[in-house]
Amino acid sequence: MAEVDHIFEKRSRGLSHPADRRSRIETENVRMQEEFSAVCASTVRPAMESFLERLRANGGGGLVEERLWCSGSWGGAAHQALMSLSGELIGRPRGDQHPYLQLDLDVTQQQVNLAEGHMWKGHGNSGPVGSWITSEITGTMVTESLLDVLRRAAS
């Protein structure tokens, strides 16, 4: 009769593994979202805002957008800086009309994907340009990426 107990105990452990795994994945997704939010608040947004202030001082403009969304059991987040080379943005900012740098959290790949566009009045290119690890993001990285976008948009 002890074998019956053993069989059911083994079966019970086998059934609980998917639930345990799902719980660990959800916990890790939440941790990554919190880490990304913290890095955006302390590093990304201040670097973007500082860059845009300098742009404004030179006759340009722009704004920082933060987007959160929910997809299934997890959410995502993005930070985007949109720029104007001549004054403040007029109307709804669009990536196909304005230079931008966007950072998107990808919890599946455990990275932050970068996309940029150096579109200016409909001319230029846009798309993915690389990825970063959240814990390694610095203000200098953000500023240098914004400068790269601005250089291409201005040429």
Side-chain angles (χ1 to χ4, degrees), residues 64-82:
V64 176
E65 287 187 327
E66 179 179 355
R67 291 181 306 216
L68 303 172
W69 66 88
C70 185
S71 175
S73 63
W74 65 276
H79 261 74
Q80 182 178 50
L82 291 125

Side-chain angles (χ1 to χ4, degrees), residues 11-31:
R11 182 177 182 276
S12 176
R13 281 195 310 262
L15 292 175
S16 69
H17 288 305
D20 290 345
R21 186 176 188 290
R22 198 169 30 252
S23 176
R24 281 193 307 276
I25 289 170
E26 288 177 11
T27 299
E28 179 61 11
N29 289 350
V30 169
R31 186 201 64 76

Side-chain angles (χ1 to χ4, degrees), residues 19-112:
D20 290 345
R21 186 176 188 290
R22 198 169 30 252
S23 176
R24 281 193 307 276
I25 289 170
E26 288 177 11
T27 299
E28 179 61 11
N29 289 350
V30 169
R31 186 201 64 76
M32 288 185 67
Q33 290 170 17
E34 289 172 350
E35 179 183 28
F36 183 67
S37 291
V39 167
C40 285
S42 68
T43 305
V44 174
R45 187 172 193 88
M48 287 179 168
E49 291 289 352
S50 178
F51 186 86
L52 292 177
E53 283 302 314
R54 190 55 147 306
L55 200 61
R56 284 183 192 99
N58 285 283
L63 63 89
V64 176
E65 287 187 327
E66 179 179 355
R67 291 181 306 216
L68 303 172
W69 66 88
C70 185
S71 175
S73 63
W74 65 276
H79 261 74
Q80 182 178 50
L82 291 125
M83 297 173 259
S84 168
L85 302 180
S86 57
E88 282 303 322
L89 298 173
I90 298 172
R92 173 75 180 113
R94 295 176 29 184
D96 63 345
Q97 293 291 316
H98 299 98
Y100 69 89
L101 174 68
Q102 181 171 316
L103 283 68
D104 289 305
L105 176 62
D106 182 337
V107 295
T108 305
Q109 297 297 318
Q110 298 186 343
Q111 63 189 20
V112 175

